[in-house]
């Protein structure tokens, strides 16, 4: 077989099977969430304005940060409703202290939220990336709850923990406990 024909066939196979891979990935993620004992790493919902925050932002003043858009607010409420309708047992919720993460976690309406600084924005806190990522891995590795640990954080944090760059509002499901952190599947809600 010619090299060009091989490349074309490989490309067509990838394009034709991509939806099947995506739906298998989603099915595995839902199954893991129903099983419990996993960690759901959620990127905050839509917050326009690029990466990071405006110059001079303050963690204690939401008016100085990037915040959720009206779409982001609606999406967070819709994602929470979907998780409830699927019967997902969220045992604990941790959030980055950034307002867009706290607001996403609140709008999910899945339970009380604890601020966890180790899930703070690694783009803004770039000098602390290694320590924050190690702290996040330690929390995932220690998760042995019977339900789900839901972590609302930033895309760059999830990428540092899993190698996956999630879309706004996307959830990457990983194994908890020893040997944890291995991605199981991804959930998109568009």
């Amino acid at each position: 077989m010619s090299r060009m024909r091989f490349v074309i066939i490989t490309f067509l196979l990838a394009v034709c099977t991509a939806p099947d891979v995506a739906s298998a990935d989603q099915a595995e993620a839902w199954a893991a969430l129903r099983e419990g004992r996993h960690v759901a790493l959620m990127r905050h919902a839509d917050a326009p304005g690029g990466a990071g925050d405006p110059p001079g932002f303050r963690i204690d003043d939401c008016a100085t940060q990037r915040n959720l858009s009206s779409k982001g607010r609606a999406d967070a409420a819709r994602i929470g409703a979907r998780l409830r309708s699927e019967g997902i047992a969220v045992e604990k919720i941790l959030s980055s202290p950034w307002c867009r993460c706290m607001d996403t976690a609140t709008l999910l309406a899945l339970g009380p939220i604890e601020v966890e600084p180790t899930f703070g924005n690694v783009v803004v806190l770039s000098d602390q990336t290694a320590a924050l990522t190690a702290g996040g891995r330690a929390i995932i590795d220690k998760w042995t709850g019977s339900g789900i640990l839901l972590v609302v954080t930033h895309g760059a944090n999830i990428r540092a923990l899993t190698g996956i760059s999630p879309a706004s509002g996307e959830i990457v499901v990983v194994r908890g406990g020893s040997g944890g952190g291995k991605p199981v599947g991804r959930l998109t809600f568009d």
Side-chain angles (χ1 to χ4, degrees):
M1 171 181 331
S2 75
R3 171 119 176 99
M4 180 58 106
R5 186 173 174 179
F6 175 77
V7 169
I8 291 171
I9 290 170
T10 303
F11 172 77
L12 290 174
L13 283 172
V15 169
C16 293
T17 60
D20 292 335
V21 170
S23 61
D25 201 34
Q26 293 235 8
E28 289 176 26
W30 282 116
L33 290 179
R34 287 185 190 99
E35 176 188 322
R37 297 182 308 279
H38 284 78
V39 178
L41 300 170
M42 180 179 185
R43 180 178 178 189
H44 61 76
D46 184 61
D53 285 282
F57 91 97
R58 290 192 345 255
I59 197 69
D60 63 341
D61 185 355
C62 294
T64 66
Q65 300 178 31
R66 284 179 40 225
N67 290 293
L68 296 181
S69 64
S70 56
K71 176 187 182 319
R73 297 180 75 73
D75 287 349
R78 185 174 49 84
I79 293 165
R82 174 74 187 276
L83 292 169
R84 285 189 304 280
S85 76
E86 295 286 341
I88 304 306
V90 175
E91 189 171 327
K92 186 174 187 177
I93 303 171
L94 300 178
S95 177
S96 160
W98 266 251
C99 295
R100 58 189 170 270
C101 294
M102 289 295 295
D103 290 346
T104 297
T106 300
L107 291 164
L108 292 170
L110 295 170
I113 302 150
E114 295 177 34
V115 173
E116 178 48 65
T118 199
F119 291 108
N121 191 335
V122 298
V123 170
V124 174
L125 303 172
S126 60
D127 60 328
Q128 300 173 44
T129 299
L132 295 173
T133 302
R137 282 190 209 289
I139 288 171
I140 292 168
D141 287 347
K142 289 178 186 170
W143 182 250
T144 58
S146 60
I148 296 301
L149 170 60
L150 173 64
V151 176
V152 182
T153 188
H154 308 268
N157 295 61
I158 296 171
R159 183 178 58 247
L161 290 164
T162 68
I164 295 170
S165 293
S168 295
E170 183 175 345
I171 294 175
V172 177
V173 180
V174 300
R175 297 188 192 288
S178 61
K182 179 180 180 204
V184 173
R186 299 167 71 168
L187 296 173
T188 56
F189 295 91
D190 287 330

